[in-house]
Amino acid sequence: MAPQGMTEAALTGFRQQLTGDALTSGDPGYDEARAVHNAMIDRRPAVIAQCETEADVARSIRFGRENDLEIAVRGGGHSVAGMSLSDGGIVVDLRRMHTVIINPESRAARVGGGATMSHLDRATQPYDLATTGGRASTTGVGGFTLGGGSGWLERKFGLACDNLLAVELVTADGSTVHASEDENQELFWALHGGGGNFGVATAITLKLHELPAMSMIMLLFRPDSGPEVLRAYRDFVESAPDEVGGGCIYLTGPPEEFVPEDLVGKLVCAVLITYAGTESEARMVAAPMLELAHAAEMIAELPYAELQCMLDDPAGMRNYWSAEYLDALPDKAVDAFCARSSTMIVPSGTQHVLFPLGGAAADGPAHYPLPWRGSPWVVHPFGTWESPADDERGKKWVRDVRADVQPWSNGAVYLNFIGQEGDERVVAGVGGDNYARLAAVKAQYDPDNVFRLNHNIKPA
């Protein structure tokens, strides 16, 4: 049956035109198709268009507009605010468009708009090639990249969007546009941080880099030693080579073999060191951290694709996150960060994270709308829990973390790390000097603000 406000004939005609499927409430698979990463989001779209081709995407956009349906675009479905769903609207679901084609000679990957990091990383692995990806294998490559793209390899290879070679985009009128350094250059600039404001990315092309070996070192400490550990980590990172990534993370001790029984299910302070190289090289570089008295360690050389899925959260968890980018990390900031760990939900999937930037992330093109890229540190309170009873407590903890580090914050923010926090935070994410330029691009490609379920840039 056609949803309210839509004729049966219109829905039938749309279904006949699609190569993929169009699901409505009551259809088999509808509830599964509308589930997103954040279990706090429970929305019921009128139609879910499971697109298989670029033509399907164009048809879905036109159908949505003709029937006055709000349009949501779904790639990985990882938006903490549930931006890939619309109550009563149409979802342009790209997940069937996940093909990744590797050209090892040119070191480039053509990535379908619905591909996740796992699709990309497992396609590049046989060639010993990689590019900067997100820190979870289930993240969608398209939204991640167009929002900037911060990950373990950013200090070595730059942000994901620094490696963006081309984008194939279906715009608000259903037409297809190709953007690159040589074609539609202003749009290409806007796609380096402006996210999904300008159309639906049906494919992106990314530059790849040689990565014959990847290593990781995970050190666990009891939480009372956190301030000492974080000071040592800060000093270590500030002189570390660009091959080093990782972070300092308070989390719940996992039930793994290397974790002492008395730390399983309890608060621990973890130092994760990722290294673009061999285990022996990683051990030498990380010697100052290995000398600290730690309660547990796991050290391994492993495929990058395996590292990418080590911190994946299980599906069905409730999520709330945010971030603050810092100009400095003095001892007072370290103490404030560590103290807030005592109020996080434990046991849970919550992670109290401090990531270093620097290296190629900071040295990349300064003209892109990414004002946060020069920050040396980011605090990322990543709340995730199981019970709805913890919702208010979890949200308050995230807000408290932000307030604690406010004295050292520069106000810039990576929009992929936050939900809907208001127009001011969107401006902070792209930079006040860039916003008007982005709004002009928006006016050219989406003058009616059809694509507004995002960190929205309103058309000029």
Side-chain angles (χ1 to χ4, degrees), residues 415-459:
L415 295 177
N416 285 359
F417 270 179
I418 70 171
Q420 295 285 29
E421 297 184 4
D423 292 346
E424 288 185 6
R425 288 281 269 178
V426 174
V427 174
V430 299
D433 294 341
N434 297 314
Y435 190 89
R437 184 177 171 187
L438 289 166
V441 179
K442 176 78 168 179
Q444 180 178 353
Y445 292 95
D446 184 15
D448 298 320
N449 206 9
V450 169
F451 302 115
R452 57 184 177 272
L453 293 182
N454 45 41
H455 291 108
N456 194 233
I457 295 162
K458 296 175 178 61

Side-chain angles (χ1 to χ4, degrees), residues 131-367:
T131 195
T132 301
R135 297 177 176 91
S137 68
T138 52
T139 303
V141 178
F144 167 78
T145 302
L146 303 187
S150 170
W152 303 129
L153 293 174
E154 65 193 357
R155 287 168 48 89
K156 178 65 175 175
F157 300 139
L159 303 176
C161 72
D162 296 338
N163 295 286
L164 187 60
L165 299 174
V167 182
E168 293 165 37
L169 204 72
V170 178
T171 61
D173 63 1
S175 59
T176 301
V177 175
H178 187 270
S180 68
E181 287 284 4
D182 303 318
E183 195 174 356
N184 296 303
Q185 293 155 321
E186 189 71 356
L187 173 62
F188 191 60
W189 169 84
L191 294 171
H192 289 72
N197 270 285
F198 314 101
V200 180
T202 54
I204 64 174
T205 304
L206 293 167
K207 178 170 62 177
L208 303 176
H209 306 265
E210 285 190 11
L211 188 68
M214 190 76 198
S215 303
M216 60 84 67
I217 296 172
M218 173 75 87
L219 306 176
L220 298 187
F221 301 84
R222 288 178 167 78
D224 55 1
S225 61
E228 174 192 353
V229 170
L230 185 45
R231 287 182 176 87
Y233 177 73
R234 173 195 61 195
D235 297 343
F236 160 71
V237 167
E238 287 177 351
S239 60
D242 292 349
E243 285 79 6
V244 167
C248 187
I249 311 168
Y250 282 92
L251 46 74
T252 297
E256 301 288 347
E257 269 187 35
F258 77 99
V259 181
E261 190 174 339
D262 66 314
L263 290 183
V264 174
K266 304 292 176 57
L267 181 68
V268 297
C269 177
V271 168
L272 174 64
I273 298 170
T274 62
Y275 187 80
T278 65
E279 179 184 331
S280 60
E281 293 168 341
R283 285 178 178 272
M284 285 191 293
V285 168
M289 297 305 299
L290 290 170
E291 290 169 3
L292 298 179
H294 47 277
E297 69 176 42
M298 182 172 67
I299 304 175
E301 185 173 317
L302 73 174
Y304 175 61
E306 295 301 319
L307 171 65
Q308 284 288 75
C309 60
M310 285 187 64
L311 295 181
D312 282 0
D313 294 310
M317 302 297 285
R318 305 173 77 80
N319 285 256
Y320 189 76
W321 336 313
S322 193
E324 289 291 336
Y325 280 75
L326 312 184
D327 280 332
L329 190 67
D331 286 350
K332 285 186 177 180
V334 168
D335 293 340
F337 175 85
C338 293
R340 186 53 63 185
S341 66
S342 65
T343 62
M344 61 188 272
I345 299 173
V346 176
S348 78
T350 295
Q351 297 175 16
H352 186 28
V353 185
L354 181 78
F355 289 133
L357 277 79
D363 295 338
H367 63 284

